[in-house]
DNA sequence: GTTGTTTGTGACTGGACAGTCACTTGTGTG
DNA sequence: CACACAAGTGACTGTCCAGTCACAAACAAC
């Protein structure tokens, strides 16, 4: 209030930088065991700050988790867009394929998949359900716009994406049985 | 040991009946908030027994949850089989469609969907991952055998089933936006 | 150097929950 | 009745965890 004109000058707020750092850690740590089973302490530990500080920067555990989920979908949408740009000028099928490739590369460490699944499972908390809706909306709009594919193709893209999540979570890639190969067939992951 | 010949006679063990009763409750209650967020006390309360008794009948909370997941997939496979039997003698596409219909009817109360999603999310616990694998194996084998459809069709069946789970968990049926309608289009639920 | 602001923490609290154990009650058998 | 055994529970314990609060240290401004 006293010095409104100084705000845009000088050093960037360190607190904001910490927020970003901690958020990146939160994505990883929450991805391991989900919302309920992950203590905020674990995130703090991984980020080398105190638990109290995490609570100061985020609105409770729920706020932290929601922020992590938003960040997760943000990254996914960004990767999709980037992937599509590399195949610019080709047909929509090729563009969807390029986006698949980008997604597969992005989720090589399973954090983003796991976090999506955990968020989907925690949808009984309204704020989390809203975050999931925001995320899906963002992905759908990104994929539709960047590929130009028709609605059915985009829907199919999502459906097989969900199947991919199941495969990864259940570790079906490591199961050597005919049923597992059926589920797994043609789906890229790892 | 003392009276092996009496075992098959007389009254069916009441403890076994309780196990079944409690298990049915566990499916419902775990479906609400998942493995970690659901106290065993809630299951006991819903089944009108003491917490201590639930622990006596099941091998810890984990044993109870795993049993619930197994029960869940058991019911799904049974419903699929029953649905297919009603359309016996038709083509595999019609049989898959009949199974979809049976599944949609079965999951009218969302317990079985929610429990599958929760289980998928709790796959970081090895015993739960194994239960999920068992369940998927059972469903895949049931669908393949009962429909006679080729592998790709079965895989597609699963993929769109997973998409259905996402729609239900995120409540996309209640969202009035174009992106939600894209995701939702042609998928039966409710 | 004192006053104010921001970054950051140690130490704590209150509640929830998994699992146990000693105990009671019911029931069939000799 | 006495005995054994199964069904069933109340009361407890130890632990973990979300969130708070009073305080410290750095840094800026005057």
């Amino acid at each position: 209030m006293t010095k409104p004109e100084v705000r845009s000058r000088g050093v960037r707020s360190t607190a904001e930088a910490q927020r970003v750092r901690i958020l990146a850690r939160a994505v990883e740590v929450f991805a391991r065991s989900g919302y309920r089973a992950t203590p905020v302490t674990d995130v703090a530990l991984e980020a080398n700050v105190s638990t109290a500080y995490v609570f100061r920067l985020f609105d409770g555990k729920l706020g932290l988790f929601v922020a992590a989920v938003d960040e997760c979908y943000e990254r996914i949408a960004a990767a999709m867009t980037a992937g599509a740009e590399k195949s610019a000028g080709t047909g929509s099928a090729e563009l969807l394929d390029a986006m698949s490739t980008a997604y597969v590369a992005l989720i090589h460490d399973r954090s983003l998949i796991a976090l999506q699944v955990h968020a989907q499972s925690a949808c009984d908390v309204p704020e989390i359900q809203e975050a999931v809706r925001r995320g899906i909306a963002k992905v759908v709009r990104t994929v539709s716009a960047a590929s130009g594919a028709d609605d059915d193709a985009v829907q199919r893209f999502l459906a097989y994406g969900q199947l991919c999540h199941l495969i990864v979570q259940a570790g079906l890639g490591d199961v050597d049985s005919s049923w597992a190969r059926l589920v797994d067939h043609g789906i890229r992951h790892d």
Side-chain angles (χ1 to χ4, degrees), chain A residues 15 23 27 50 64 77-78 109 134 155 165:
Chain A
L23 197 51
V27 169
S50 68
L64 178 60
D109 88 327
R134 273 197 301 279
Q155 190 191 44
H165 295 180

Side-chain angles (χ1 to χ4, degrees), chain A residues 2 5 13 52 55 90:
Chain A
T2 49
E5 77 282 9
S13 156
F55 277 105
T90 62

Side-chain angles (χ1 to χ4, degrees), chain A residues 23-116:
Chain A
L23 197 51
R25 287 313 181 158
V27 169
E28 273 180 48
V29 178
F30 275 128
R32 294 210 274 267
S33 310
Y35 176 53
R36 328 263 189 167
T38 306
V40 175
T41 306
D42 284 7
V43 176
L45 229 54
E46 203 92 355
N48 290 311
V49 292
S50 68
T51 309
Y53 194 45
V54 175
F55 277 105
R56 172 172 291 192
L57 292 184
F58 293 88
D59 187 14
K61 186 185 183 180
L62 182 54
L64 178 60
F65 186 75
V66 167
V69 172
D70 283 337
E71 166 73 12
C72 164
Y73 282 108
E74 209 85 41
R75 281 195 219 164
I76 290 169
M80 299 286 203
T81 305
E85 271 162 9
K86 281 189 203 153
S87 296
T90 62
S92 67
E94 285 79 10
L95 283 164
L96 282 179
D97 202 64
M99 290 168 119
S100 294
T101 306
Y103 188 60
V104 171
L106 181 69
I107 63 177
H108 192 239
D109 88 327
R110 267 77 210 250
S111 293
L112 296 191
I113 280 196
L115 190 55
Q116 283 180 84

